Amino acid sequence: MRQTIIAGNWKLNGTISDAEILLSALESAFAARPDIQIVVCPPYTTLAFAAQKLAESNAKIGGQDLFWKEKGAYTAQISAPMLKEIGCTYVIVGHSERRGRFGVPEPEFNEAVLAYFGDSDITVNLKLKAALAGGLIPICCVGETLSERQSGSTDSVVSNQTSAALKGVSAEQASGIVFAYEPVWAIGTGEVCAAVEADRVCGIIRQKVGKLYGADTAEKVQIQYGGSVKPDNAADLLGRPNIDGALVGGASLKAADFAAIIAASPR
Ligand code: PGA
């Protein structure tokens, strides 16, 4: 049986004082579910505080990104050892917002601006391997845009992103990775992917892992769904055979909503 993993991606939200309020309000919700893995991913500047605040709880913390080099002349980058030292167990890798693929594009995000969010399959792979080498568990995000879905390429996009991320990764390492199927069109839009379809695409990721590493590894890999997960759709999504958890954005910033999603996890 794979353990359910519910992660909150705070994105560009959460000063230390915000985190104090939010994490205090979540204490009892976290304590009520020692059977699942809860992860909180605040911005870098709040990680140390969150690590201290959650030290006695059953929740772990994760970074939202990392750089693949350990140190050097790479202004503003953060490495796996730095995240590890501050108390991270997890790190999100290849989130669509780091790949320049936004569910809700900003009007000023023309191509030149989007290039700033420059993750590609190749950098995602470098980051994933750096995370593993640094003893962090990657939460590796994959997912199609609306136009890719409309053109019928969902399965190939997701499958290709999965295999590209895993290049050079051993079976043993792969079995410990968390994947997150995050259809870009569902992120921050309030438009959730239907549970049957989300489960089907999570199954595509599992199949791909199975093709690359065998059935044992495929069985072990945890696969989350992410994209407009809310209290009212969480139970349906989390009850599906190929969905082992949720990567929650907006709703993870509201204590009552995140608590309800945690409570909706199957026992
Ligand atoms: P959302 O974001 O829940 O706000 O749609 C999910 C994510 O980007 O991980």
Side-chain angles (χ1 to χ4, degrees):
M1 257 300 269
R2 294 180 295 269
Q3 190 184 30
T4 298
I5 172 165
I6 306 289
N9 174 12
W10 292 8
K11 308 189 180 184
L12 179 52
N13 301 286
T15 60
I16 290 171
S17 45
D18 295 335
E20 167 62 37
I21 296 167
L22 184 53
L23 294 175
S24 295
L26 283 163
E27 253 163 45
S28 57
F30 289 176
R33 293 306 300 268
D35 57 317
I36 66 171
Q37 184 59 66
I38 298 161
V39 185
V40 175
C41 303
Y44 291 136
T45 50
T46 306
L47 283 172
F49 171 80
Q52 219 174 354
K53 178 92 182 157
L54 296 174
E56 303 299 318
S57 99
N58 52 333
K60 306 274 191 221
I61 67 161
Q64 296 177 11
D65 193 15
L66 81 166
F67 190 59
W68 57 89
K69 296 281 191 186
E70 283 195 6
K71 55 177 158 180
Y74 307 104
T75 301
Q77 301 296 344
I78 297 287
S79 67
M82 291 170 175
L83 292 175
K84 187 85 183 162
E85 180 186 45
I86 217 164
C88 286
T89 306
Y90 290 84
V91 62
I92 298 171
V93 173
H95 191 281
S96 54
E97 288 158 9
R98 294 295 327 150
R99 296 182 193 245
R101 291 152 65 89
F102 286 85
V104 189
E106 309 270 336
E108 75 267 31
F109 283 11
N110 59 31
E111 231 168 83
V113 175
L114 280 177
Y116 171 78
F117 306 94
D119 262 340
S120 64
D121 282 348
I122 292 172
T123 61
V124 170
N125 174 247
L126 288 168
K127 289 177 176 188
L128 187 131
K129 287 188 289 195
L132 291 167
L136 295 164
I137 301 171
I139 298 178
C140 179
C141 302
V142 297
E144 82 288 358
T145 62
L146 184 59
S147 65
E148 287 165 348
R149 171 159 286 267
Q150 285 166 341
S151 68
S153 43
T154 296
D155 296 9
S156 61
V157 167
V158 166
S159 185
N160 291 339
Q161 286 179 347
T162 304
S163 52
L166 289 169
K167 212 166 162 211
V169 172
S170 72
E172 199 194 329
Q173 288 175 317
S175 63
I177 293 172
V178 180
F179 278 93
Y181 167 51
E182 296 214 309
V184 178
W185 51 270
I187 294 179
T189 58
E191 199 185 325
V192 68
C193 181
V196 174
E197 174 62 4
D199 183 57
R200 188 191 70 79
V201 184
C202 288
I204 300 277
I205 298 170
R206 201 176 300 288
Q207 264 174 33
K208 188 74 202 182
V209 172
K211 263 199 197 126
L212 293 168
Y213 299 103
D216 259 21
T217 308
E219 265 312 296
K220 282 185 196 146
V221 127
Q222 289 168 302
I223 305 176
Q224 300 174 309
Y225 166 79
S228 297
V229 176
K230 307 283 179 218
D232 63 352
N233 57 34
D236 190 14
L237 288 159
L238 295 169
R240 306 278 159 170
N242 273 309
I243 302 180
D244 307 316
L247 182 53
V248 187
S252 73
L253 297 169
K254 297 179 189 148
D257 285 7
F258 198 49
I261 293 166
I262 288 167
S265 301
R267 288 191 183 264

Tab-separated table of all heavy atoms in Angstrom, residues 7-11 92 95-97 141 180 182-184 186-191 225-230 246-252, ligand 1:
chain	number	residue	atom	x	y	z
A	7	ALA	N	0.691	17.578	-0.193
A	7	ALA	CA	1.683	18.652	-0.096
A	7	ALA	C	1.042	19.990	-0.424
A	7	ALA	O	0.200	20.089	-1.317
A	7	ALA	CB	2.842	18.373	-1.064
A	8	GLY	N	1.448	21.005	0.309
A	8	GLY	CA	0.979	22.367	0.051
A	8	GLY	C	2.100	23.177	-0.566
A	8	GLY	O	3.187	23.292	0.017
A	9	ASN	N	1.854	23.685	-1.759
A	9	ASN	CA	2.829	24.537	-2.445
A	9	ASN	C	2.366	25.984	-2.281
A	9	ASN	O	1.399	26.398	-2.899
A	9	ASN	CB	2.883	24.134	-3.935
A	9	ASN	CG	3.760	25.064	-4.757
A	9	ASN	OD1	4.504	25.876	-4.214
A	9	ASN	ND2	3.671	24.935	-6.078
A	10	TRP	N	3.074	26.709	-1.432
A	10	TRP	CA	2.645	28.074	-1.114
A	10	TRP	C	2.998	29.074	-2.213
A	10	TRP	O	2.556	30.216	-2.173
A	10	TRP	CB	3.275	28.539	0.205
A	10	TRP	CG	2.781	27.831	1.423
A	10	TRP	CD1	1.960	26.727	1.466
A	10	TRP	CD2	3.063	28.168	2.784
A	10	TRP	NE1	1.723	26.368	2.767
A	10	TRP	CE2	2.392	27.245	3.605
A	10	TRP	CE3	3.824	29.160	3.392
A	10	TRP	CZ2	2.451	27.275	4.994
A	10	TRP	CZ3	3.893	29.208	4.781
A	10	TRP	CH2	3.206	28.280	5.569
A	11	LYS	N	3.882	28.661	-3.135
A	11	LYS	CA	4.328	29.554	-4.224
A	11	LYS	C	4.860	30.869	-3.640
A	11	LYS	O	5.518	30.842	-2.600
A	11	LYS	CB	3.178	29.760	-5.221
A	11	LYS	CG	2.590	28.423	-5.698
A	11	LYS	CD	1.612	28.544	-6.818
A	11	LYS	CE	1.114	27.164	-7.200
A	11	LYS	NZ	0.210	27.170	-8.346
A	92	ILE	N	10.182	20.379	-4.632
A	92	ILE	CA	9.412	20.350	-5.886
A	92	ILE	C	10.380	20.588	-7.047
A	92	ILE	O	11.242	21.460	-6.965
A	92	ILE	CB	8.312	21.436	-5.882
A	92	ILE	CG1	7.303	21.174	-4.750
A	92	ILE	CG2	7.598	21.499	-7.237
A	92	ILE	CD1	6.297	22.309	-4.533
A	95	HIS	N	8.034	22.246	-11.562
A	95	HIS	CA	6.669	22.794	-11.536
A	95	HIS	C	6.427	23.570	-12.835
A	95	HIS	O	7.332	24.247	-13.340
A	95	HIS	CB	6.488	23.708	-10.316
A	95	HIS	CG	5.065	24.084	-10.105
A	95	HIS	ND1	4.454	25.074	-10.847
A	95	HIS	CD2	4.109	23.581	-9.286
A	95	HIS	CE1	3.184	25.161	-10.466
A	95	HIS	NE2	2.948	24.258	-9.529
A	96	SER	N	5.221	23.504	-13.353
A	96	SER	CA	4.945	24.163	-14.649
A	96	SER	C	5.245	25.664	-14.593
A	96	SER	O	5.642	26.259	-15.589
A	96	SER	CB	3.503	23.912	-15.082
A	96	SER	OG	2.606	24.299	-14.067
A	97	GLU	N	5.077	26.267	-13.414
A	97	GLU	CA	5.377	27.704	-13.308
A	97	GLU	C	6.871	27.975	-13.371
A	97	GLU	O	7.282	29.113	-13.596
A	97	GLU	CB	4.743	28.280	-12.022
A	97	GLU	CG	3.227	28.364	-12.151
A	97	GLU	CD	2.462	28.412	-10.842
A	97	GLU	OE1	3.093	28.543	-9.776
A	97	GLU	OE2	1.222	28.306	-10.891
A	141	CYS	N	7.010	17.389	-11.114
A	141	CYS	CA	5.740	17.767	-11.740
A	141	CYS	C	5.773	17.582	-13.251
A	141	CYS	O	6.740	17.979	-13.905
A	141	CYS	CB	5.427	19.226	-11.452
A	141	CYS	SG	5.345	19.603	-9.699
A	180	ALA	N	3.959	14.307	-9.578
A	180	ALA	CA	2.704	15.053	-9.474
A	180	ALA	C	2.201	15.304	-10.885
A	180	ALA	O	2.894	15.951	-11.683
A	180	ALA	CB	2.917	16.368	-8.743
A	182	GLU	N	0.117	17.393	-12.960
A	182	GLU	CA	-0.490	18.715	-12.828
A	182	GLU	C	-0.834	19.277	-14.206
A	182	GLU	O	0.019	19.923	-14.844
A	182	GLU	CB	0.479	19.663	-12.115
A	182	GLU	CG	0.774	19.263	-10.691
A	182	GLU	CD	0.970	20.484	-9.812
A	182	GLU	OE1	1.769	21.357	-10.174
A	182	GLU	OE2	0.295	20.568	-8.786
A	183	PRO	N	-2.050	19.038	-14.680
A	183	PRO	CA	-2.426	19.635	-15.959
A	183	PRO	C	-2.374	21.152	-15.834
A	183	PRO	O	-2.974	21.725	-14.920
A	183	PRO	CB	-3.862	19.142	-16.182
A	183	PRO	CG	-4.335	18.587	-14.887
A	183	PRO	CD	-3.137	18.300	-14.041
A	184	VAL	N	-1.612	21.777	-16.721
A	184	VAL	CA	-1.345	23.222	-16.587
A	184	VAL	C	-2.651	24.016	-16.585
A	184	VAL	O	-2.797	24.982	-15.838
A	184	VAL	CB	-0.395	23.679	-17.724
A	184	VAL	CG1	-0.136	25.183	-17.639
A	184	VAL	CG2	0.924	22.920	-17.660
A	186	ALA	N	-5.354	23.375	-15.321
A	186	ALA	CA	-6.123	23.243	-14.079
A	186	ALA	C	-5.463	23.998	-12.923
A	186	ALA	O	-6.023	24.054	-11.824
A	186	ALA	CB	-6.269	21.768	-13.715
A	187	ILE	N	-4.283	24.556	-13.157
A	187	ILE	CA	-3.529	25.176	-12.055
A	187	ILE	C	-3.963	26.622	-11.842
A	187	ILE	O	-3.830	27.463	-12.737
A	187	ILE	CB	-2.017	25.084	-12.306
A	187	ILE	CG1	-1.599	23.607	-12.275
A	187	ILE	CG2	-1.249	25.890	-11.265
A	187	ILE	CD1	-0.146	23.370	-12.523
A	188	GLY	N	-4.518	26.864	-10.686
A	188	GLY	CA	-4.928	28.219	-10.323
A	188	GLY	C	-6.152	28.713	-11.072
A	188	GLY	O	-6.521	29.879	-10.979
A	189	THR	N	-6.808	27.814	-11.822
A	189	THR	CA	-7.939	28.235	-12.652
A	189	THR	C	-9.285	27.894	-12.010
A	189	THR	O	-10.319	28.362	-12.471
A	189	THR	CB	-7.895	27.514	-14.022
A	189	THR	OG1	-7.928	26.095	-13.782
A	189	THR	CG2	-6.629	27.863	-14.784
A	190	GLY	N	-9.270	27.053	-10.993
A	190	GLY	CA	-10.519	26.588	-10.389
A	190	GLY	C	-11.158	25.484	-11.218
A	190	GLY	O	-12.198	24.930	-10.846
A	191	GLU	N	-10.506	25.134	-12.332
A	191	GLU	CA	-11.071	24.095	-13.203
A	191	GLU	C	-10.321	22.784	-12.968
A	191	GLU	O	-9.253	22.547	-13.544
A	191	GLU	CB	-10.908	24.532	-14.668
A	191	GLU	CG	-11.826	23.793	-15.601
A	191	GLU	CD	-11.554	24.169	-17.058
A	191	GLU	OE1	-11.225	25.332	-17.316
A	191	GLU	OE2	-11.662	23.279	-17.905
A	225	TYR	N	-2.015	14.108	-7.683
A	225	TYR	CA	-2.687	14.973	-8.651
A	225	TYR	C	-2.597	16.400	-8.114
A	225	TYR	O	-2.731	16.619	-6.893
A	225	TYR	CB	-4.161	14.584	-8.848
A	225	TYR	CG	-4.886	15.697	-9.578
A	225	TYR	CD1	-4.746	15.831	-10.958
A	225	TYR	CD2	-5.617	16.662	-8.886
A	225	TYR	CE1	-5.329	16.896	-11.624
A	225	TYR	CE2	-6.204	17.730	-9.539
A	225	TYR	CZ	-6.055	17.841	-10.920
A	225	TYR	OH	-6.601	18.900	-11.574
A	226	GLY	N	-2.416	17.374	-8.998
A	226	GLY	CA	-2.433	18.777	-8.580
A	226	GLY	C	-3.105	19.632	-9.625
A	226	GLY	O	-2.985	19.380	-10.836
A	227	GLY	N	-3.815	20.637	-9.185
A	227	GLY	CA	-4.525	21.553	-10.096
A	227	GLY	C	-5.936	21.769	-9.581
A	227	GLY	O	-6.810	20.935	-9.781
A	228	SER	N	-6.123	22.893	-8.847
A	228	SER	CA	-7.434	23.254	-8.293
A	228	SER	C	-8.028	22.176	-7.389
A	228	SER	O	-9.236	21.944	-7.401
A	228	SER	CB	-8.411	23.629	-9.423
A	228	SER	OG	-7.940	24.774	-10.111
A	229	VAL	N	-7.161	21.530	-6.604
A	229	VAL	CA	-7.683	20.611	-5.570
A	229	VAL	C	-8.291	21.464	-4.455
A	229	VAL	O	-7.674	22.423	-3.977
A	229	VAL	CB	-6.564	19.707	-4.999
A	229	VAL	CG1	-7.107	18.838	-3.868
A	229	VAL	CG2	-5.959	18.845	-6.097
A	230	LYS	N	-9.519	21.139	-4.094
A	230	LYS	CA	-10.274	21.897	-3.086
A	230	LYS	C	-10.950	20.888	-2.163
A	230	LYS	O	-11.057	19.702	-2.496
A	230	LYS	CB	-11.364	22.750	-3.756
A	230	LYS	CG	-10.885	23.657	-4.877
A	230	LYS	CD	-10.177	24.908	-4.368
A	230	LYS	CE	-9.695	25.755	-5.536
A	230	LYS	NZ	-8.438	26.396	-5.376
A	246	ALA	N	-2.142	14.652	-3.179
A	246	ALA	CA	-2.444	15.892	-3.891
A	246	ALA	C	-1.331	16.900	-3.661
A	246	ALA	O	-0.738	16.958	-2.582
A	246	ALA	CB	-3.768	16.466	-3.382
A	247	LEU	N	-1.053	17.666	-4.714
A	247	LEU	CA	-0.181	18.835	-4.593
A	247	LEU	C	-1.113	20.039	-4.689
A	247	LEU	O	-1.740	20.268	-5.722
A	247	LEU	CB	0.879	18.831	-5.708
A	247	LEU	CG	1.900	19.971	-5.698
A	247	LEU	CD1	2.602	20.106	-4.360
A	247	LEU	CD2	2.960	19.761	-6.796
A	248	VAL	N	-1.214	20.753	-3.592
A	248	VAL	CA	-2.258	21.766	-3.442
A	248	VAL	C	-1.628	23.149	-3.451
A	248	VAL	O	-0.713	23.420	-2.673
A	248	VAL	CB	-3.011	21.552	-2.105
A	248	VAL	CG1	-4.201	22.496	-2.010
A	248	VAL	CG2	-3.449	20.097	-1.942
A	249	GLY	N	-2.115	24.024	-4.321
A	249	GLY	CA	-1.611	25.401	-4.361
A	249	GLY	C	-2.495	26.305	-3.524
A	249	GLY	O	-2.396	26.355	-2.293
A	250	GLY	N	-3.410	27.009	-4.194
A	250	GLY	CA	-4.250	28.020	-3.543
A	250	GLY	C	-4.905	27.557	-2.252
A	250	GLY	O	-4.886	28.277	-1.245
A	251	ALA	N	-5.456	26.354	-2.254
A	251	ALA	CA	-6.188	25.888	-1.065
A	251	ALA	C	-5.260	25.569	0.106
A	251	ALA	O	-5.724	25.458	1.244
A	251	ALA	CB	-7.044	24.672	-1.414
A	252	SER	N	-3.953	25.466	-0.148
A	252	SER	CA	-3.039	25.179	0.964
A	252	SER	C	-2.742	26.439	1.775
A	252	SER	O	-2.118	26.383	2.833
A	252	SER	CB	-1.730	24.551	0.471
A	252	SER	OG	-0.913	25.504	-0.176
B	1	PGA	P1	-3.630	25.212	-7.440
B	1	PGA	O1	-2.068	24.949	-7.725
B	1	PGA	O2	-4.065	24.215	-6.400
B	1	PGA	O3	-3.704	26.626	-6.944
B	1	PGA	O4	-4.360	25.010	-8.728
B	1	PGA	C1	-1.533	23.659	-7.737
B	1	PGA	C2	-0.053	23.703	-8.016
B	1	PGA	O5	0.387	24.523	-8.810
B	1	PGA	O6	0.744	22.913	-7.457
